[in-house]
Amino acid sequence: MDIANFKYLDKETLFTLTHKREGEIKIGEKISYGSDFENSTARYVIIGIEESIGVKGNLGKSGTHTAWNAFLDAFVNVQNTVRLAGEHIHILGSFQFQEIFQECESTEDYREKVSLIDDSISPLIEKISLAGKRVIIIGGSHANAYPIIKGVSQAKNAPVSVINMDAHADFRKLEGRHSGNPFSSARHEGFLGPYHILGLHENYNSQTMLEEMSKQKDIQWYFYEDIYLRNKISFDKALHHFIENTKGIAGIELDMDSVENVLSSAMTPTGFSALEARKYAYNTAYQLKPSYFHICEAAAKLDNGLEDPQTGKLLSYLVTDFIKGLME
């Protein structure tokens, strides 16, 4: 399988990343890796996307390309246990788009390149889904939700019902491709079915976009302010409502700019807690057994110099929570 801009995980990288202690077995020693995921007995395939192009196309801060390596370093050092067995997991590798990033000089350039990224990602997602595996995608901008939904939809021959924990609906007009319009793009092409957004921030979603979404009966959302300022509904009840109303082929999105104080392209001082994000990952997996889980917009380092050494570990927790939900 020859994929442009894709680097497969190899044994040497795994050996370098795994920090062993006597008497401990790390998950990185038990997983399968490399290109032959179709013949692997693993049920879950993990891939990374190292890009910040969709963020820059949306006038955001670059840095989302740094999440994958931070995640990988933390993830392979998790303990291998009966609740999280490495033999169920295959780490395929990551898309690397930094060379394309260096070619861009304007907002229009970034938006044009996102379309090239779409064309690289969706065929692999489709192939993983056709192999009967569930795919977990780490890193990059939220622009990548579009090719992920497209790939799953084409494999399953049906629209994908999506739940998205996000401060932004990302349903903006089709003005070239960027991190602000993956769901409107997927809806326009017929790949997105019912769409539910948990935790929109009133300050950062335009009235025009909200009115456009309200015209479509299968798009629903809860504002963060309705949960925590007005107490109209609890977090648990809002999440349960969306899970109950998600039927058929399901996909789960988690934009890390919805989680308080996580380094991201649109970092927020007020948002969901890390615990709520973990509950979201676990419960959606446990109750829906979705086809994919996409964690995006996080950064280990932003282009303005800000760094957070905890980013990778939090992403690792979210992935292990999701896998545990699938297994239980």
Side-chain angles (χ1 to χ4, degrees):
M1 181 171 54
D2 182 22
I3 303 172
N5 306 110
F6 195 87
K7 181 180 179 181
Y8 295 106
L9 185 69
D10 55 43
K11 187 175 183 180
E12 182 179 352
T13 300
L14 268 181
F15 179 81
T16 301
L17 289 173
T18 305
H19 309 299
K20 298 182 180 179
R21 293 179 181 176
E22 187 175 351
E24 294 183 352
I25 300 176
K26 303 295 182 67
I27 201 169
E29 299 172 66
K30 294 294 184 178
I31 61 171
S32 55
Y33 58 89
S35 60
D36 193 21
F37 69 89
E38 291 170 295
N39 292 316
S40 168
T41 58
R43 305 176 221 167
Y44 319 119
V45 177
I46 300 177
I47 64 173
I49 304 178
E50 300 182 59
E51 66 85 27
S52 296
I53 297 171
V55 169
K56 295 295 288 183
N58 198 26
L59 306 177
K61 299 181 181 69
S62 172
T64 53
H65 62 282
T66 66
W68 167 250
N69 285 325
F71 157 77
L72 194 60
D73 191 20
F75 181 74
V76 298
N77 286 290
V78 169
Q79 301 290 334
N80 188 77
T81 68
V82 293
R83 287 193 176 275
L84 189 74
E87 58 261 29
H88 298 307
I89 300 165
H90 185 102
I91 300 183
L92 193 61
S94 65
F95 287 99
Q96 301 180 347
F97 296 112
Q98 286 307 98
E99 284 189 17
I100 296 176
F101 181 86
Q102 300 299 330
E103 298 172 1
C104 298
E105 297 180 354
S106 66
T107 300
E108 289 71 24
D109 288 341
Y110 290 118
R111 292 179 176 183
E112 181 179 341
K113 297 299 184 184
V114 170
S115 295
L116 298 178
I117 292 173
D118 292 343
D119 294 340
S120 296
I121 293 174
S122 61
L124 178 57
I125 300 298
E126 181 178 5
K127 193 165 189 176
I128 294 170
S129 295
L130 285 171
K133 315 287 186 179
R134 289 183 167 86
V135 59
I136 299 168
I137 309 99
I138 309 297
S141 72
H142 218 157
N144 301 311
Y146 166 72
I148 294 167
I149 294 168
K150 177 181 179 181
V152 171
S153 176
Q154 290 182 323
K156 304 295 185 180
N157 196 30
V160 181
S161 299
V162 171
I163 302 178
N164 179 23
M165 177 184 274
D166 201 339
H168 315 93
D170 294 337
F171 205 85
R172 286 166 48 188
K173 63 181 179 180
L174 308 182
E175 50 185 3
R177 285 280 294 112
H178 54 73
S179 63
N181 62 16
F183 300 104
S184 47
S185 297
R187 173 53 64 94
H188 179 72
E189 297 293 331
F191 303 125
L192 175 65
Y195 178 40
H196 304 99
I197 316 107
L198 182 63
L200 291 184
H201 287 204
E202 291 175 347
N203 291 3
Y204 296 102
N205 290 273
S206 72
Q207 186 63 32
T208 300
M209 183 182 65
L210 294 172
E211 290 173 356
E212 179 60 33
M213 292 195 301
S214 68
K215 296 175 184 177
Q216 306 187 43
K217 294 182 179 179
D218 60 353
I219 298 181
Q220 297 179 312
W221 62 89
Y222 286 112
F223 283 114
Y224 180 86
E225 290 80 4
D226 283 336
I227 298 172
Y228 289 106
L229 297 185
R230 303 182 184 97
N231 296 317
K232 288 185 175 181
I233 190 169
S234 69
F235 171 84
D236 289 337
K237 286 185 177 180
L239 177 57
H240 179 73
H241 176 239
F242 284 163
I243 290 173
E244 285 285 297
N245 283 276
T246 298
K247 310 296 181 183
I249 308 303
I252 304 302
E253 298 278 338
L254 175 46
D255 189 319
M256 295 304 291
D257 67 21
S258 68
V259 183
E260 192 170 296
N261 294 325
V262 171
L263 194 65
S264 69
S265 60
M267 185 175 177
T268 182
T270 175
F272 292 121
S273 68
L275 175 57
E276 287 169 325
R278 293 186 63 185
K279 289 173 67 176
Y280 172 79
Y282 175 82
N283 282 288
T284 53
Y286 179 74
Q287 297 186 58
L288 292 174
K289 309 302 183 195
S291 294
Y292 82 83
F293 183 36
H294 179 209
I295 308 177
C296 60
E297 297 286 335
K301 183 178 181 178
L302 294 175
D303 59 5
N304 61 9
L306 287 177
E307 297 185 53
D308 188 347
Q310 295 298 317
T311 296
K313 193 169 186 178
L314 177 55
L315 297 179
S316 178
Y317 269 115
L318 293 167
V319 170
T320 56
D321 293 335
F322 184 79
I323 294 173
K324 289 174 184 177
L326 291 175
M327 293 177 63
E328 292 177 2

